[in-house]
Amino acid sequence: MGTKQVLKRGFALLLSGALMMTPMMAATYTDTSGNWAESAIEKWSGSYGILQGYDDGTFRPDATITRGAFAGIMVRFLQYIQTSSSGTFSDTFGEYWEDSILKLNAAGVYLGNNGKANLHDNITRQQAIAMIARAFGISETAGTLSYADAGSVASYAYGDLLTMKNAGYITDVGSDNCFRPSDDITRAEVVNILNNMISVLYQTGGVYTSNVRGTLMINATEGATLKNMSITGDLIIAPGVTGEVSLADVSISGSIRNLGSAAVTETSMKDTGVWPTIPQYTGEHFSYDGASLSVPVGTQAMQLDQSSFYWDENGSLRCNDPNYTTRYGIDVSSHQGRIDWNAVAATGIEFALVRVGGRGTSTGGIYTDTFGQQNLAGATAAGIETGAYFFSQATSPEEAIEEANFVIGQLQGYNITGPVMFDWEMKDKTYRVYGTTPEVATACALTFCKTIEDAGYRAAIYMGKYVGYVKYGAYFDQIASYATCYAGYPASGSANCYPSFYYQPNYWQYSDSGKIDGISSTHVDLDMQFIRN
């Protein structure tokens, strides 16, 4: 008995080879370059692993697929859980694809014929259409197909095919306008249909914030959280999703198609926090990274005289603009180690911004700066005006409130006379805030600042050009209702030694490699404050 089952399984793999071969990126396949479905193959094989290639480096796009192997593809895609009894079909016991076939049967997708699954038969194009339609809950459409061979389409697939054709899922019909319903479907044709149906697939749980152009499908067992994003197609939740799918301020142009029993909750983040209002614009523009950016009404362009910035005899950057009083300071964190604050004060440093904590760029957990309390105590004791900052990775106003309350707790017992800065940064895709929309990023900043000021402190917002222009720029009139700090570092000794920012900042972090007495690190952030006379 055992030998017979092993032989059956080996035969099934030999026939199909669709799911269990070695995964590889489609770009490495030797037979897909220039294929009409090349990009879809790369996406659904290389990126998502729904169909895989062969150990010899081929994908075999024109190869046919057995009914059993097709069942395996659908199970991998939809993550079915429920299974029919092993005696449902007379020809599946011990077969490699038995579990997949029985799962599709339990879902009402794989019906068989006269008690048989016929799993080793190739699946035809119309059979595949009918199974896909059942799997995705696609309703039949009454009407007439325009294909030249419409009369050859079986009645069980006719209405499903018309629905899928009208939806734009069928795009592999040639100039002869024939659908070829009884032809065996190929691997490339299966991939093409899936690609036309689904734009993006979320296979793991987590928080997602990037807009989706087309239809999004979630098949992560644990579910997922979608925040402040738009989906221009449908949202499909696979039958295998048992965790919660949480939608917070998600705009869906199509419909939510819950194919299983996942709990779906819809909330609005805008019930919490301070959200920016749509501004009016002056009609003026400036360029950044090849884009033309509009200037909101109520903002102030750079007023500082560029020629007033100079390098003194010690190589330190200075500003003597007569319209402003310039003060000099530093911002520090655990990266600077132990600091002799009396020595720092003796250099003439007038203010210090102390990092008291931050939020992890990947995990999102809030952490305490290991030198934060010591630096707050040392700076205030040395008579230096002391403020604070928090490295934010907030993706919602709720998280910004959490961060602000953390900071407020850290500042208890200290004479904080300087600003408390919101330092929201986005470096690359590894940062959890990647993909956060400008509206949400601005709401996080405004909410943090309001929470800080409600507690009796002065709030400020730190930014580089990217965050300042791309994330905050559309709402800069509201951002500028708080003190702003621009970070930009001119090369030492450079003639262009002024803040190259469109808007007037209150603070300028002009170096990240300063050297200050009392601090052993040679990488100290140096700051200027500009106070209008």
Side-chain angles (χ1 to χ4, degrees):
M1 180 69 74
T3 302
K4 184 177 181 181
Q5 289 186 23
V6 170
L7 288 174
K8 282 186 177 181
R9 291 171 184 265
F11 183 61
L13 281 173
L14 181 63
L15 284 176
S16 60
L19 284 175
M20 299 308 294
M21 298 302 166
T22 303
M24 59 183 70
M25 290 301 294
T28 67
Y29 294 139
T30 60
D31 59 347
T32 57
S33 179
N35 185 274
W36 65 276
E38 181 181 3
S39 62
I41 291 169
E42 181 171 353
K43 176 178 174 179
W44 291 99
S45 177
S47 298
Y48 292 139
I50 299 300
L51 281 85
Q52 297 178 355
Y54 292 81
D55 288 333
D56 64 358
T58 63
F59 180 78
R60 306 178 196 177
D62 298 324
T64 57
I65 299 176
T66 66
R67 289 166 58 85
F70 188 79
I73 294 171
M74 298 305 290
V75 168
R76 175 170 288 200
F77 200 38
L78 293 160
Q79 300 292 311
Y80 290 107
I81 298 173
Q82 300 299 320
T83 304
S84 291
S85 64
S86 59
T88 300
F89 297 110
S90 62
D91 58 346
T92 58
F93 181 73
E95 294 284 354
Y96 183 83
W97 301 115
E98 178 182 16
D99 183 66
S100 295
I101 291 170
L102 293 178
K103 284 181 176 178
L104 284 191
N105 177 260
V109 176
Y110 198 119
L111 305 182
N113 186 23
N114 295 323
K116 290 187 175 182
N118 299 319
L119 71 164
H120 297 306
D121 292 349
N122 287 338
I123 188 168
T124 66
R125 285 167 59 84
Q126 63 182 353
Q127 289 170 348
I129 290 297
M131 289 178 65
I132 290 173
R134 294 185 202 122
F136 283 89
I138 296 174
S139 300
E140 297 183 27
T141 296
T144 303
L145 284 165
S146 60
Y147 295 127
D149 56 352
S152 300
V153 178
S155 59
Y156 69 81
Y158 198 99
D160 295 331
L161 178 57
L162 182 55
T163 302
M164 294 180 68
K165 176 183 181 296
N166 291 342
Y169 300 157
I170 312 300
T171 58
D172 60 357
V173 174
S175 59
D176 61 357
N177 194 34
C178 288
F179 175 71
R180 299 170 284 115
S182 298
D183 285 6
D184 296 336
I185 198 165
T186 67
R187 287 162 58 80
E189 289 168 350
V190 170
V191 171
N192 182 60
I193 292 173
L194 295 178
N195 192 57
N196 290 337
M197 293 178 65
I198 310 296
S199 299
V200 176
L201 176 65
Y202 290 163
Q203 296 174 290
T204 57
V207 178
Y208 297 91
T209 58
S210 296
N211 294 334
V212 173
R213 187 179 181 85
T215 290
L216 167 66
M217 180 171 176
I218 301 171
N219 73 356
T221 302
E222 63 271 38
T225 297
L226 313 185
K227 286 186 176 183
N228 204 72
M229 57 185 284
S230 64
I231 302 169
T232 62
D234 294 341
L235 170 62
I236 301 176
I237 303 169
V241 178
T242 57
E244 180 182 354
V245 175
S246 175
L247 311 177
D249 288 302
V250 177
S251 170
I252 302 174
S253 300
S255 59
I256 299 175
R257 293 157 57 191
N258 190 351
L259 304 180
S261 58
V264 181
T265 61
E266 298 184 63
T267 59
S268 175
M269 287 194 295
K270 293 185 179 180
D271 294 337
T272 303
V274 181
W275 287 83
T277 58
I278 299 175
Q280 294 181 328
Y281 294 98
T282 63
E284 299 175 343
H285 298 82
F286 64 94
S287 296
Y288 171 70
D289 198 26
S292 178
L293 304 182
S294 299
V295 178
V297 171
T299 57
Q300 185 179 48
M302 180 65 70
Q303 301 294 305
L304 293 162
D305 181 2
Q306 294 180 359
S307 65
S308 66
F309 292 88
Y310 65 97
W311 303 95
D312 68 14
E313 64 278 7
N314 297 316
S316 299
L317 187 58
R318 293 289 181 260
C319 175
N320 60 6
D321 189 319
N323 295 313
Y324 291 87
T325 297
T326 303
R327 302 175 70 232
Y328 300 91
I330 58 175
D331 57 90
V332 297
S333 68
S334 59
H335 296 299
Q336 279 69 53
R338 195 173 300 277
I339 296 174
D340 181 344
W341 283 102
N342 288 323
V344 171
T347 67
I349 288 295
E350 297 167 277
F351 65 91
L353 302 173
V354 174
R355 189 181 74 173
V356 294
R359 188 186 290 274
T361 57
S362 59
T363 64
I366 289 181
Y367 58 85
T368 301
D369 188 292
T370 53
F371 281 83
Q373 295 294 302
Q374 181 175 314
N375 285 334
L376 289 174
T380 54
I384 298 173
E385 179 187 285
T386 305
Y389 75 95
F390 183 90
F391 177 82
S392 173
Q393 288 287 283
T395 60
S396 68
E398 290 91 341
E399 289 189 348
I401 292 171
E402 180 187 19
E403 293 174 353
N405 287 333
F406 171 86
V407 172
I408 292 167
Q410 294 292 306
L411 299 182
Q412 296 301 306
Y414 297 102
N415 183 26
I416 303 301
T417 54
V420 177
M421 282 193 184
F422 180 71
D423 175 14
W424 191 95
E425 299 186 28
M426 200 288 290
K427 181 180 179 182
D428 54 35
K429 290 183 178 180
T430 64
Y431 278 44
R432 71 191 298 265
V433 296
Y434 183 83
T436 301
T437 66
E439 184 184 28
V440 173
T442 302
C444 289
L446 298 179
T447 300
F448 179 95
C449 289
K450 183 179 187 304
T451 307
I452 289 295
E453 296 212 335
D454 284 349
Y457 301 99
R458 289 189 292 118
I461 302 172
Y462 170 98
M463 68 200 73
K465 274 188 181 177
Y466 175 79
V467 172
Y469 290 161
V470 177
K471 297 300 183 181
Y472 297 153
Y475 310 100
F476 208 86
D477 57 324
Q478 293 149 80
I479 289 291
S481 64
Y482 297 99
T484 59
C485 177
Y486 165 65
Y489 314 133
S492 180
S494 168
N496 298 325
C497 55
Y498 47 83
S500 57
F501 196 58
Y502 181 84
Y503 297 106
Q504 171 71 22
N506 302 95
Y507 293 84
W508 178 28
Q509 185 187 85
Y510 63 90
S511 176
D512 63 352
S513 56
K515 181 68 179 73
I516 297 292
D517 289 348
I519 304 177
S520 60
S521 171
T522 57
H523 293 279
V524 180
D525 293 336
L526 304 180
D527 308 306
M528 293 184 190
Q529 179 187 12
F530 308 107
I531 303 173
R532 183 80 185 187
N533 292 331

